Amino acid sequence: MNKKEKIFLIIGITAVASVFILLAIDDWMVDFAVITGVFLFSVLIVDPLDSRTKNENEIREKEEDEFGSEVMAAVDSRIYERPSFFLGVPFIFVFGGIWSKYESVFSIEHEGQTVVVLYHGLCLVSAEDRLLIRGKWYRGKQVGIQGNVVVANRVENVSSGIVFEKA
């Protein structure tokens, strides 16, 4: 049963229970409390946000989302510093510090299309380098962009022999 069917089941259980409760009890405060209780109880039983239930298409997509291929880099990598943690004490001015992480972004040519690669860490890549990339493939519509994205956890520069890998 998918999420949409579960939500309709919760609405149906609550609607049927509401009709019987409104006919049986005259006090509107008690009616409201009991209907709310039935709604919450049906949400607990049906559990529409259960992440353990996956249909076969989602499982098949997960299997296809792994990316591992030898490709050519289209451009040099750009390295960005991304703030990740802030700790400070406000005392007239804020005394503290910002800790950050580095991310590398570059693009590759894969099967005739340009694909953006994101690596969480330092990854030095030059244009026209041969790369062996392993990571997770995201279709652009899933992340709200045009094109595809690979979030790499291992980038091996075959041209220079340097390996970048997240532990």
Side-chain angles (χ1 to χ4, degrees):
M1 188 181 305
N2 63 22
K3 290 178 185 178
K4 185 185 265 185
E5 292 171 345
K6 289 180 177 184
I7 291 171
F8 280 121
L9 181 62
I10 291 170
I11 292 171
I13 291 170
T14 306
V16 170
S18 299
V19 170
F20 288 122
I21 291 168
L22 290 173
L23 291 174
I25 303 173
D26 291 331
D27 188 13
W28 65 273
M29 296 270 297
V30 175
D31 286 343
F32 180 74
V34 172
I35 291 171
T36 304
V38 167
F39 174 75
L40 293 174
F41 183 71
S42 63
V43 167
L44 286 174
I45 290 189
V46 174
D47 195 13
L49 301 177
D50 184 16
S51 60
R52 292 175 289 167
T53 58
K54 302 245 184 230
N55 62 23
E56 294 177 11
N57 293 336
E58 290 174 349
I59 293 171
R60 193 175 310 119
E61 282 181 12
K62 276 229 188 270
E63 292 172 356
E64 295 173 356
D65 282 343
E66 290 298 317
F67 181 81
S69 181
E70 185 171 327
V71 293
M72 295 285 282
V75 297
D76 294 344
S77 62
R78 305 273 191 249
I79 299 172
Y80 298 98
E81 188 174 8
R82 180 178 59 98
S84 62
F85 184 74
F86 171 76
L87 182 65
V89 177
F91 182 74
I92 300 173
F93 293 102
V94 176
F95 296 101
I98 298 175
W99 286 265
S100 58
K101 295 181 181 179
Y102 292 99
E103 291 183 345
S104 302
V105 178
F106 57 94
S107 62
I108 59 173
E109 290 291 328
H110 178 68
E111 296 178 357
Q113 54 182 305
T114 303
V115 178
V116 175
V117 177
L118 172 66
Y119 179 77
H120 297 291
L122 291 174
C123 181
L124 304 172
V125 173
S126 298
E128 304 298 320
D129 280 350
R130 287 187 7 235
L131 306 170
L132 181 61
I133 300 175
R134 298 207 191 287
K136 186 157 174 122
W137 176 277
Y138 292 96
R139 287 162 184 64
K141 291 182 180 178
Q142 290 176 332
V143 292
I145 64 169
Q146 183 178 7
N148 296 318
V149 177
V150 173
V151 178
N153 53 20
R154 178 183 165 90
V155 177
E156 182 178 347
N157 193 335
V158 179
S159 301
S160 65
I162 300 173
V163 177
F164 303 95
E165 185 169 11
K166 295 302 284 184

